[in-house]
Amino acid sequence: MIRKIVYSAICMVVLGCTGPSVPKVFTESKSLPKIYPDYTDVTIPINMAPLTFELDEEADEMIARYAVGDEEVVCEDKAQPDADDWRMLTEKAKGGAIAVDVYARHGDQWTRYKPFSIFVSPDSIDSYLSYRLIFPSFVSYEALSINQRCLENYDERVIYDNILCSFEKDGQCINCHNYQQYNPERMQFHARQNMGGTVIAYDGKTKKVNMRNDSILSAGVYPAWHPWLKLIVYSTNKTYQDFHTTHHNKIEVFDAQSDLIAYDIDKGEVTNLENDTTEMEVFPAWAPDGKTLYYCSAHYVKQDSTLSRTAEVVKRYKKIKYNIYKKSFDPETMTFGPRELVFAADSLNKSATLPRISPDGRYLMFAMAEFGVFHIWHHDADLWLLDLQSGEVRAATELNSPDTESYHSWSSNGRWVVFSSRRDDGTYTRPFFAHIDKDGHGSKPFELPQADPDYHRQFMKCYNIPEFMRGPVTIKPQEFADVLKGDGEPVKYVQRLTGHK
């Protein structure tokens, strides 16, 4: 396919002044226009940045018109409405829709495609999203950063850059940013390798923690911050990856061993929750009431005495299936109850990961694939939804695509989800958003809008771990680097955490 690439666009609010205009003579097409990104008939939040797009087929010229009532914005070459014009349209369309017409010229002939709608929900979305930007790990992992994007416009800034402390043979790997209740002033992220440690920022104070301890498997990895206590549950993992030469899943990331630990931020205490060598536990997630911890676990018993545990896991990796469990938690005594099975994915010969609970506590969204723990590299990975009231579980078919759907997060009002998808090209994960109604039904997902609609097809990095935030992180990247260059506070291992009053 040959696309005509135009690097400028003109948009005009039609109020009688000159500018791009809608063709008066054209033929009608019964087909929707082929546009990128595909924003046909999507539902967006009232405060989302302008949705820009371009015609995704060969044409000599394109005209696009956004209209609500007697107000319209007409764009030429690329549909890139001005922010003020867009805000005018969305406010007028609140609870309704923006009508979009697309015209394409081939030689002397104009064609008008079947019109489509952009539905504008009165449900707003959190104003910021953070994510890790990284090349596919079969290319490089050192040139990466944690970035934040204002969803109400196109502003993007770096939270922390991997190369601020070191690079190449003395490099770092940063990952797993997490917030307490969407609060950008209460966050944490990890740095591994040189100057590694866990960085925790809490209400203006930032510290580095060395979470390694002889009594736990490894430093904490995948985090889950309690809704109000200064308590973070992590998994501790011995993680490895293999690179395939011919398989369509290019990489397989797996755990050879993993546990769950809880870390008390103020006391610097850490403890194991179960410490069972036959269970590989990962991806903790709190219920919004702070009284239940969900997580995933795979039962694994070593069978071959001639192989190391890691070598045997590599040999059997397709047989490892993770189920979803939960533990009760008493915030007063800081004690966890026994585990309970929530969803047996292995009964379907599947593996479930990344449980995330909606803010109203009703729905649990998770990713499911044929096997394993790191579904971002599995092309068969889909999102599923479990109704915690009725027990009904289903594939979220309205959100899924023929390619990978993986890491997902709920907005603070529970009306939106964001997730990583490889649906565009099978290689790069990009953030997609969807509205979730009170009955758990999702709208057609739409891609993170950019000022230039062709941006993502020219941007050679993946978006990992999309997390909503109520506002921006204001700590400067160099401030985080200065903390990482210092010594980390050691943790103290205890049999169980002491209570908070």
Side-chain angles (χ1 to χ4, degrees):
M1 181 188 68
I2 300 174
R3 291 186 297 111
K4 180 180 179 182
I5 299 176
V6 183
Y7 291 98
S8 63
I10 301 173
C11 293
M12 183 71 68
V13 179
V14 178
L15 296 171
C17 52
T18 60
S21 60
V22 173
K24 291 183 171 53
V25 179
F26 50 83
T27 59
E28 294 274 5
S29 171
K30 295 181 180 180
S31 301
L32 287 168
K34 188 176 182 182
I35 61 173
Y36 179 80
D38 179 10
Y39 290 143
T40 59
D41 299 327
V42 298
T43 298
I44 65 169
I46 181 70
N47 58 328
M48 179 58 73
L51 266 58
T52 67
F53 64 85
E54 61 187 352
L55 194 63
D56 200 20
E57 61 183 59
E58 186 178 5
D60 296 309
E61 192 176 353
M62 183 195 82
I63 294 289
R65 174 174 59 188
Y66 303 80
V68 182
D70 57 357
E71 302 281 2
E72 63 179 33
V73 175
V74 179
C75 300
E76 186 178 38
D77 294 330
K78 290 185 180 183
Q80 295 172 294
D82 175 79
D84 291 337
D85 297 340
W86 178 258
R87 205 60 65 208
M88 174 267 294
L89 291 173
T90 54
E91 285 294 335
K92 191 159 187 176
K94 184 177 180 179
I98 300 170
V100 185
D101 289 300
V102 175
Y103 302 79
R105 182 176 64 83
H106 301 85
D108 296 329
Q109 179 66 53
W110 282 96
T111 299
R112 178 180 184 256
Y113 293 96
K114 181 180 178 181
F116 64 90
S117 297
I118 296 174
F119 301 98
V120 182
S121 170
D123 296 324
S124 62
I125 201 167
D126 297 288
S127 58
Y128 274 79
L129 184 77
S130 59
Y131 38 78
R132 188 171 66 152
L133 292 179
I134 182 174
F135 289 109
S137 54
F138 54 81
V139 177
S140 170
Y141 74 89
E142 290 178 330
L144 62 91
S145 61
I146 301 173
N147 285 31
Q148 56 187 347
R149 161 73 187 271
C150 180
L151 296 179
E152 297 177 346
N153 53 47
Y154 307 118
D155 292 345
E156 182 182 47
R157 297 187 180 184
V158 172
I159 295 176
Y160 180 69
D161 194 313
N162 200 51
I163 64 173
L164 286 176
C165 284
S166 49
F167 193 57
E168 294 181 343
K169 67 184 181 65
D170 294 322
Q172 287 183 333
C173 176
I174 51 171
N175 54 26
C176 299
H177 52 284
N178 191 259
Y179 307 88
Q180 185 180 48
Q181 288 294 85
Y182 309 90
N183 187 345
E185 295 184 359
R186 298 177 180 181
M187 71 166 295
Q188 72 96 71
F189 67 89
H190 301 303
R192 291 184 292 186
Q193 296 174 253
N194 188 41
M195 300 181 187
T198 298
V199 175
I200 297 177
Y202 194 93
D203 292 352
K205 296 182 179 180
T206 306
K207 68 177 181 179
K208 175 182 175 181
V209 180
N210 176 10
M211 211 166 291
R212 293 186 179 277
N213 186 280
D214 290 342
S215 297
I216 60 177
L217 188 63
S218 71
V221 188
Y222 307 112
W225 203 314
H226 189 273
W228 69 86
L229 294 174
K230 295 175 78 171
L231 176 73
I232 306 176
V233 172
Y234 296 94
S235 63
T236 55
N237 304 70
K238 290 191 174 180
T239 305
Y240 301 87
Q241 61 181 359
D242 279 352
F243 296 85
H244 297 296
T245 56
T246 58
H247 198 279
H248 66 290
N249 290 336
K250 297 181 178 66
I251 296 174
E252 185 60 39
V253 180
F254 53 87
D255 275 336
Q257 198 171 347
S258 54
D259 286 324
L260 293 181
I261 63 170
Y263 170 66
D264 185 309
I265 295 173
D266 280 341
K267 297 182 179 180
E269 295 176 347
V270 65
T271 190
N272 285 301
L273 299 194
E274 286 203 353
N275 201 21
D276 185 343
T277 58
T278 66
E279 294 292 327
M280 294 193 291
E281 301 156 325
V282 70
F283 296 133
W286 287 100
D289 65 3
K291 297 180 179 179
T292 307
L293 179 75
Y294 292 85
Y295 62 97
C296 300
S297 185
H299 187 68
Y300 185 87
V301 178
K302 193 172 183 302
Q303 297 176 353
D304 191 339
S305 61
T306 65
L307 294 175
S308 68
R309 183 183 177 98
T310 301
E312 188 183 88
V313 168
V314 171
K315 184 178 179 180
R316 294 172 55 193
Y317 75 94
K318 286 190 176 181
K319 297 181 179 179
I320 299 175
K321 319 280 185 176
Y322 287 77
N323 295 324
I324 300 176
Y325 293 86
K326 67 179 180 180
K327 283 177 172 288
S328 63
F329 176 72
D330 186 334
E332 290 295 317
T333 61
M334 300 280 282
T335 54
F336 291 88
R339 77 173 189 166
E340 302 173 54
L341 180 65
V342 175
F343 176 67
D346 60 355
S347 67
L348 303 176
N349 199 28
K350 298 286 187 179
S351 182
T353 65
L354 291 166
R356 301 298 290 265
I357 299 83
S358 61
D360 63 3
R362 180 171 177 181
Y363 296 105
L364 186 156
M365 186 174 285
F366 60 97
M368 191 152 72
E370 183 183 350
F371 58 85
V373 69
F374 220 67
H375 289 346
I376 197 169
W377 285 112
H378 294 167
H379 289 285
D380 66 321
D382 282 331
L383 297 177
W384 284 61
L385 201 66
L386 169 62
D387 187 330
L388 294 172
Q389 287 184 5
S390 67
E392 178 187 1
V393 63
R394 68 176 182 88
T397 53
E398 67 273 33
L399 307 184
N400 294 325
S401 73
D403 217 301
T404 306
E405 270 68 58
S406 57
Y407 196 98
H408 48 279
S409 301
W410 293 88
S411 65
S412 61
N413 62 8
R415 294 279 69 91
W416 301 93
V417 291
V418 61
F419 58 93
S420 296
S421 178
R422 296 192 194 274
R423 67 185 63 197
D424 279 349
D425 53 32
T427 299
Y428 295 94
T429 52
R430 298 177 179 117
F432 281 75
F433 302 83
H435 184 264
I436 306 293
D437 67 20
K438 60 182 179 61
D439 297 316
H441 299 129
S443 63
K444 177 181 175 178
F446 66 94
E447 191 167 343
L448 175 69
Q450 298 285 356
D452 182 348
D454 204 48
Y455 178 85
H456 280 148
R457 292 202 279 206
Q458 300 181 43
F459 185 59
M460 300 292 102
K461 285 189 177 182
C462 297
Y463 292 75
N464 290 166
I465 317 180
E467 290 280 1
F468 285 113
M469 309 135 71
R470 297 182 188 273
V473 174
T474 57
I475 300 171
K476 304 300 183 196
Q478 192 57 56
E479 293 179 53
F480 282 130
D482 292 341
V483 171
L484 275 169
K485 290 175 182 177
D487 295 330
E489 293 183 7
V491 295
K492 176 185 177 183
Y493 183 81
V494 294
Q495 289 298 320
R496 76 174 186 86
L497 298 177
T498 53
H500 277 211
K501 296 295 184 181

